[in-house]
Amino acid sequence: MNNSKILVNGKSEFITAKNINELLLQKGITPTSKGIAVAINGIVVPKNYWESKDIITGDQVEIVKPFKGG
Amino acid sequence: MPDKLQISNKFFSSRLLIGTAGYPNQQIMLDSISASGAEIVTVSIRRISLDAYAESMIDLIGDKYHLLPNTAGCATVNDAVLTAKLARESLQTNWIKLELIGDRDTLYPDSSQLIIAAEELIKDGFIVLPYCTDDPIVCQKLQDVGCAAVMPLGSPIGSGMGICNPYNIEMICKRSNVPVVLDAGVGTASDATQAMELGCDAVLLNSAVSKSINPIGMAKAMRDAVSAGRLASLSGRIPKRKYAEPSSPRLGLIGS
């Protein structure tokens, strides 16, 4: 199994996930849950591309959702 | 015709916008928002915790209110623009409360960068509501680049110092062709009333309610304060005079 070294929410780690869907599942996040948004290398990846968008070494992944705020 | 707040193409009955941060607990937050009568409720967009589950704001309040995501804490144009785009994807809204701070101590907006970010987001189809300084020129420039409203601070975020420069807020309101929302600094109900009396179209607040001793009570007070201020503003205050002006008639006074 290939490992890719990427940054997930600012944390460097090796992952085996090939795409965003797999990455979310490995992180215990249900991809279909409301409010999750993902960007790779500063570009937002719409939900319908989460299965097709490959994750490769060096990618910077941001996974966000709404929180309390003013 | 009911007195509605219009921002972009949407109409709202309430002129109070409220935040979701800092309440003692979730139930008090929900009850306070409800008591405030607000229809627009702000949320932040943050990295998801990969260690612990947190309840989704969308599941909690998404179906009841118009959620307005913010870019709170962003200090660069790139971060603010990316956060806005993530917010659009997350909440399926093109509305954004644009915050771009220049300093962590004062949380004052970085005006030059704010205008650049606003312009970029507007070109990308966003409805931008910028949190800005109480500077009439900055507000004018934000309006010129196409912001749907301007949201000048009364005083620093969370300070509760009220409106430090009422003359500027009044001037901004008089000159503005877009709604003016007083954002930040409100400490108690009279501050919210004053904002509306100065001509603001709405008030956005958070800490004044969430950090009060009784948030639900303060939320009701803010609801009424905003309504009272709006009505007073529309009704027109009497001019200030240096000397007394009797309200009872002078004619027929005993002893005259």
Side-chain angles (χ1 to χ4, degrees):
Chain A
M1 195 174 280
N2 290 332
N3 280 8
S4 306
K5 190 182 181 189
I6 64 168
L7 271 180
V8 186
N9 284 357
K11 223 169 116 185
S12 177
E13 54 185 285
F14 288 94
I15 55 137
T16 55
K18 292 195 206 77
N19 56 48
I20 295 171
N21 251 14
E22 286 184 16
L23 176 65
L24 292 174
L25 287 168
Q26 284 182 11
K27 295 289 175 193
I29 302 163
T30 311
T32 51
S33 57
K34 284 182 193 168
I36 309 287
V38 177
I40 296 185
N41 303 326
I43 295 167
V44 175
V45 183
K47 209 166 238 188
N48 50 335
Y49 290 96
W50 285 359
E51 270 194 291
S52 55
K53 175 72 182 165
D54 291 338
I55 295 175
I56 56 172
T57 291
D59 276 349
Q60 295 181 26
V61 182
E62 296 286 352
I63 308 168
V64 300
K65 71 175 205 172
F67 281 87
K68 293 162 186 177
Chain B
M1 171 88 182
D3 178 37
K4 299 254 186 186
L5 167 67
Q6 182 180 2
I7 301 176
S8 186
N9 60 349
K10 284 195 190 296
F11 292 87
F12 303 94
S13 299
S14 171
R15 291 175 178 273
L16 177 60
L17 292 70
I18 197 163
T20 51
Y23 294 85
N25 61 53
Q26 190 172 287
Q27 193 55 52
I28 291 179
M29 177 192 80
L30 295 173
D31 292 345
S32 299
I33 296 171
S34 174
S36 76
E39 295 161 279
I40 302 175
V41 173
T42 57
V43 295
S44 64
I45 298 295
R46 289 286 182 268
R47 285 171 168 169
I48 200 165
S49 167
L50 301 174
D51 306 316
Y53 173 79
E55 197 149 8
S56 165
M57 291 297 286
I58 300 181
D59 292 332
L60 273 178
I61 55 173
D63 57 341
K64 286 188 188 162
Y65 302 101
H66 178 100
L67 295 188
L68 176 62
N70 68 32
T71 63
C74 290
T76 66
V77 171
N78 279 350
D79 284 353
V81 168
L82 177 57
T83 302
K85 289 178 178 177
L86 283 163
R88 179 168 62 183
E89 179 69 13
S90 165
L91 292 165
Q92 299 297 303
T93 177
N94 60 348
W95 285 46
I96 191 77
K97 176 187 169 185
L98 181 62
E99 290 187 43
L100 212 160
I101 59 158
D103 179 278
R104 298 246 172 237
D105 292 328
T106 63
L107 297 180
Y108 255 59
D110 182 334
S111 296
S112 60
Q113 299 301 293
L114 181 70
I115 295 165
I116 293 167
E119 196 165 15
E120 191 173 331
L121 288 168
I122 289 160
K123 279 182 188 157
D124 196 18
F126 279 89
I127 306 294
V128 177
L129 290 77
Y131 160 67
C132 57
T133 54
D134 57 354
D135 177 340
I137 305 305
V138 168
C139 288
Q140 182 64 53
K141 288 190 175 182
L142 288 165
Q143 203 184 131
D144 291 345
V145 298
C147 289
V150 290
M151 305 208 297
L153 54 81
S155 50
I157 292 173
S159 69
M161 289 199 296
I163 300 173
C164 287
N165 194 338
Y167 309 101
N168 271 22
I169 296 295
E170 190 170 31
M171 192 188 298
I172 290 164
C173 294
K174 279 191 177 144
R175 290 160 53 111
S176 186
N177 293 321
V178 296
V180 178
V181 181
L182 187 93
D183 182 6
V186 169
T188 189
S190 55
D191 298 333
T193 301
Q194 185 190 18
M196 298 305 289
E197 287 174 345
L198 290 169
C200 290
D201 296 278
V203 172
L204 195 166
L205 53 85
N206 189 155
S207 304
V209 167
S210 68
K211 303 274 175 71
S212 66
I213 292 169
N214 175 2
I216 299 164
M218 188 59 92
K220 287 179 189 165
M222 292 300 182
R223 176 197 63 195
D224 293 348
V226 167
S227 294
R230 174 67 178 173
L231 195 53
S233 171
L234 293 176
S235 305
R237 63 157 298 138
I238 61 166
K240 289 181 181 176
R241 299 173 196 275
K242 287 187 177 172
Y243 298 99
E245 178 81 11
S247 49
S248 302
R250 291 176 185 178
L251 274 174
L253 183 67
I254 292 172
S256 61

